[in-house]
């Protein structure tokens, strides 16, 4: 009828709009077909709420289709009331897994895994100790012979040229510090090899050209090295070589035969050479120098048995090792011998052999005291000549000379008690020393003079005034 057709036209328009809003597909066709069937078949009896429900479902389905490509795999679903229920499913994207560094166990504070000790090219967490890698027998580079190898540092043995360049500085430095233990430690670190027996030979050769104190140190060094670095056979072989090379050693040290004989006697006394060493050369010595050295050693050994000669003082003590009282006695003996002989060269040699350059101010002091005590012009001129010669040869330095004169100036009050005219003698000697160029003007002006008592006048009431001029 016309009334029914008027009611059906709006419904048809609604269904057509719903069908256009959905994209083409099986689901949409099915849904649209069901709605049409319902409308065409029993639309009059269909309630108004079913149309509203169909509209809501279409709206929800449209929303799901929009988010399907973006939220795929999240498991969204519809509830019975039409609400969206989103299940908690972890993301399946591999990129998301790599970027997420938090613990997947649901525990922790969100810090990086392993405390920052993992990853490529890292050493691990602080304090971590790694075990030694086990040898893999199946490794292609595995070598059964190297499994039990022990690796050590190899020191090459010294040849002749390298030996001299290495050991010579060690011995020369020993002459300065005198520590035999340090030399033994340095030699123990070297691979001497066949050159071991040349160590005593090199030390004695250097000592022949050095001072008496250095020769004493060399004898002590040989005694310390024997048994630690050297053997008795090495020491004996070295002295055999020294006797053979004496003609060459004499060219550099004219007294080499006598000094080598003393080295041999000292070595026998220290039990580093056998007593039969000298007897083995009887009747078999062709060199005059070797015969002189052996005779010197034999004489010293006989003197030690008969007179009790001490070999520990054979070379004398070094300058700094002797007591002060002994040095003062030797200085006085040197000056007295010079006053008797007048040999300036011999006095200079004896002063050098004392090896006490830091104690030369005592020599100057004793020389000036002798001038004051002698009360004669001869002693004054001889001492003045000696001091002038020693200062010119720089045996006595300016500093030592100044200290010696200043010590005399300070002790004049006590010296004048024993020598009443000490002040006048000192003024005379200082003035002549200045004229000879031994001392400078400043040191001359420091010379003290004795005060003199005198009366001013009769009107002063007999008072005494002290003045010096």
């Amino acid at each position: 009828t016309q009334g029914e057709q008027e009611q059906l036209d709006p419904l048809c328009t609604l269904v057509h709009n719903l069908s256009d809003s959905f994209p083409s597909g099986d689901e949409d066709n099915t849904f649209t077909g069901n709605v049409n069937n319902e409308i065409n078949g029993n639309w009059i009896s269909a309630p108004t709420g079913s149309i509203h429900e169909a509209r809501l479902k279409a709206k929800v389905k449209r929303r799901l289709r929009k988010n399907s490509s973006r939220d795929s795999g999240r498991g969204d679903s519809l509830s019975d009331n039409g609400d969206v229920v989103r299940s908690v499913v972890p993301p399946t994207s591999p990129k998301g897994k790599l970027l997420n560094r938090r613990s997947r166990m649901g525990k922790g504070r969100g810090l990086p895994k392993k405390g920052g000790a993992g990853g490529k090219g890292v050493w691990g967490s602080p304090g971590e100790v790694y075990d030694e890698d086990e040898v893999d027998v199946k490794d292609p580079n595995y070598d059964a012979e190297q499994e039990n190898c022990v690796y050590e540092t190899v020191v090459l043995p010294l040849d002749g040229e390298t030996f001299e360049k290495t050991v010579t500085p060690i011995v020369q430095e020993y002459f300065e510090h005198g520590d035999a233990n340090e030399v033994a430690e340095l030699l123990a670190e070297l691979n001497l090899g066949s050159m071991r027996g040349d160590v005593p030979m090199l030390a004695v050769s250097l000592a022949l050209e050095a001072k008496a104190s250095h020769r004493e140190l060399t004898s002590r060094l040989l005694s310390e090295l024997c048994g630690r670095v050297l053997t008795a056979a090495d020491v004996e072989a070295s002295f055999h070589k020294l006797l053979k090379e004496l003609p060459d050693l004499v060219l550099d040290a004219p007294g080499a035969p006598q000094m080598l004989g003393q080295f041999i006697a000292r070595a026998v006394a220290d039990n580093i050479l056998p007593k039969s060493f000298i007897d083995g050369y009887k009747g078999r010595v062709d060199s005059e120098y070797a015969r002189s050295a052996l005779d010197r050693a034999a004489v010293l050994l006989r003197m030690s048995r008969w007179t009790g000669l001490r070999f520990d003082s054979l070379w004398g003590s070094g300058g700094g090792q002797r007591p002060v009282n002994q040095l003062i006695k030797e200085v006085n003996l040197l000056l007295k011998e010079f006053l008797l002989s007048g040999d300036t060269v011999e006095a200079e040699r004896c002063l050098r052999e004392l090896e006490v350059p830091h104690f030369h101010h005592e020599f100057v002091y004793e020389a000036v005291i002798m001038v004051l005590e002698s009360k004669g012009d001869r002693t004054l001129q001889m001492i003045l000549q000696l001091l002038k010669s020693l200062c010119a040869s720089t045996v006595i330095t300016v500093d030592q000379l100044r200290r010696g004169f200043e010590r005399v100036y300070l002790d004049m009050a006590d010296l004048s008690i024993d020598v009443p005219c000490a002040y006048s003698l000192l003024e005379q000697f200082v003035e002549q020393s200045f004229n000879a160029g031994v001392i400078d003007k400043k040191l001359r002006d420091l010379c003290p003079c004795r005060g003199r008592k005198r009366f001013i006048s009769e009107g002063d009431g007999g008072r005494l005034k002290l003045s010096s001029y």
Side-chain angles (χ1 to χ4, degrees):
T1 61
Q2 185 177 0
E4 293 176 354
Q5 187 65 30
E6 290 178 358
Q7 293 178 358
L8 187 61
D9 290 340
L11 292 175
C12 292
T13 305
L14 177 61
V15 173
H16 181 71
N17 293 334
L18 288 175
S19 63
D20 293 341
S21 63
F22 290 102
S24 59
D26 295 339
E27 271 188 351
D28 298 338
N29 296 334
T30 304
F31 182 76
T32 306
N34 292 336
V35 173
N36 292 331
N37 291 335
E38 290 179 358
I39 294 175
N40 294 330
N42 302 314
W43 179 250
I44 297 174
S45 61
T48 307
S50 61
I51 298 174
H52 181 67
E53 183 179 357
R55 187 181 299 172
L56 291 177
K57 287 183 179 181
K59 185 176 180 180
V60 171
K61 188 172 292 187
R62 199 165 50 245
R63 185 186 302 170
L64 291 176
R65 281 193 172 276
K66 283 184 180 181
N67 299 331
S68 60
S69 60
R70 184 173 56 190
D71 299 331
S72 59
R74 293 197 178 183
D76 296 334
S77 60
L78 294 175
S79 63
D80 296 337
N81 299 328
D83 299 332
V84 179
V85 179
R86 181 168 295 178
S87 59
V88 181
V89 180
T92 57
S93 173
K95 184 177 180 181
K97 289 183 179 180
L98 292 176
L99 295 177
N100 184 15
R101 304 194 64 184
R102 293 178 297 176
S103 174
R104 297 190 179 94
M105 301 300 295
K107 301 178 182 179
R109 297 173 295 169
L111 299 177
K113 305 182 191 68
K114 301 182 182 179
K120 181 179 179 181
V122 296
W123 288 97
S125 59
E128 184 175 357
V129 180
Y130 295 93
D131 297 332
E132 296 183 0
D133 296 336
E134 297 182 359
V135 180
D136 188 5
V137 182
K138 298 180 180 180
D139 190 352
N141 297 324
Y142 173 76
D143 188 359
E145 296 180 356
Q146 297 182 358
E147 186 173 355
N148 297 325
C149 290
V150 178
Y151 298 94
E152 296 180 355
T153 303
V154 178
V155 181
L156 298 177
L158 300 178
D159 54 4
E161 184 178 359
T162 309
F163 169 80
E164 186 174 354
K165 291 182 179 180
T166 306
V167 180
T168 300
I170 296 176
V171 177
Q172 291 177 345
E173 186 179 356
Y174 167 71
F175 289 159
E176 300 298 330
H177 59 71
D179 190 356
N181 292 326
E182 182 178 351
V183 178
E185 293 175 359
L186 293 175
L187 293 178
E189 296 176 357
L190 302 175
N191 187 1
L192 298 175
S194 60
M195 306 298 296
R196 188 182 305 274
D198 292 343
V199 174
M201 178 179 175
L202 179 61
V204 173
S205 300
L206 295 175
L208 293 178
E209 303 176 11
K211 303 176 183 179
S213 59
H214 295 167
R215 291 190 281 273
E216 172 66 22
L217 290 174
T218 303
S219 297
R220 296 180 184 180
L221 177 63
L222 297 181
S223 179
E224 291 290 335
L225 294 181
C226 188
R228 298 177 59 182
V229 180
L230 306 175
T231 61
D234 296 332
V235 178
E236 185 175 359
S238 293
F239 279 101
H240 285 308
K241 292 181 181 179
L242 286 169
L243 289 173
K244 291 180 181 179
E245 295 187 4
L246 261 180
D248 297 333
L249 296 176
V250 171
L251 299 177
D252 297 328
Q258 301 297 322
M259 290 186 288
L260 182 58
Q262 294 181 208
F263 271 115
I264 294 175
R266 177 68 178 270
V268 173
D270 292 340
N271 296 323
I272 60 176
L273 267 183
K275 296 181 179 179
S276 60
F277 179 82
I278 300 176
D279 297 336
Y281 278 94
K282 287 184 177 180
R284 298 190 302 109
V285 181
D286 299 332
S287 174
E288 179 182 356
Y289 299 113
R291 187 182 299 109
S292 177
L294 293 172
D295 291 343
R296 175 66 173 170
V299 169
L300 291 175
L301 290 174
R302 285 196 298 268
M303 290 177 61
S304 66
R305 290 195 298 267
W306 296 344
T307 62
L309 176 65
R310 295 181 57 183
F311 283 98
D312 55 354
S313 60
L314 184 63
W315 299 108
S317 301
Q321 300 175 1
R322 279 175 284 188
V324 176
N325 294 332
Q326 182 181 353
L327 288 174
I328 295 176
K329 291 181 180 179
E330 293 185 5
V331 167
N332 286 324
L333 290 175
L334 192 157
L335 290 170
K336 291 178 181 179
E337 183 180 355
F338 168 73
L339 293 177
L340 293 176
S341 64
D343 190 351
T344 307
V345 178
E346 180 67 16
E348 180 179 343
R349 186 188 64 81
C350 294
L351 184 61
R352 289 180 183 271
E353 288 184 354
L354 289 179
E355 301 179 18
V356 283
H358 60 281
F359 202 64
H360 285 174
H361 61 85
E362 180 66 26
F363 178 84
V364 177
Y365 176 82
E366 296 293 338
V368 177
I369 295 299
M370 282 190 174
V371 172
L372 301 181
E373 293 178 350
S374 64
K375 303 179 183 178
D377 188 65
R378 177 180 179 273
T379 303
L380 186 148
Q381 295 299 329
M382 292 185 67
I383 294 298
L384 182 61
Q385 179 185 358
L386 177 61
L387 292 179
K388 183 178 180 180
S389 175
L390 294 176
C391 291
S393 60
T394 65
V395 175
I396 296 180
T397 61
V398 177
D399 179 63
Q400 295 293 319
L401 184 69
R402 175 181 294 274
R403 290 183 61 186
F405 272 90
E406 288 178 351
R407 286 181 57 192
V408 176
Y409 295 165
L410 293 175
D411 294 344
M412 283 303 296
D414 297 332
L415 292 173
S416 61
I417 297 176
D418 299 328
V419 183
C421 58
Y423 279 97
S424 60
L425 291 174
L426 179 63
E427 290 178 2
Q428 181 183 0
F429 181 74
V430 169
E431 188 65 27
Q432 294 190 19
S433 298
F434 173 73
N435 295 331
V438 178
I439 62 176
D440 55 4
K441 184 177 182 298
K442 183 178 180 180
L443 188 58
R444 184 199 64 175
D445 295 340
L446 292 176
C447 178
C449 56
R450 186 173 185 176
R452 175 178 167 184
K453 296 180 181 180
R454 65 185 180 90
F455 290 99
I456 300 300
S457 65
E458 295 180 356
D460 292 335
R463 289 181 301 174
L464 296 176
K465 287 189 176 182
L466 298 178
S467 62
S468 59
Y469 54 91

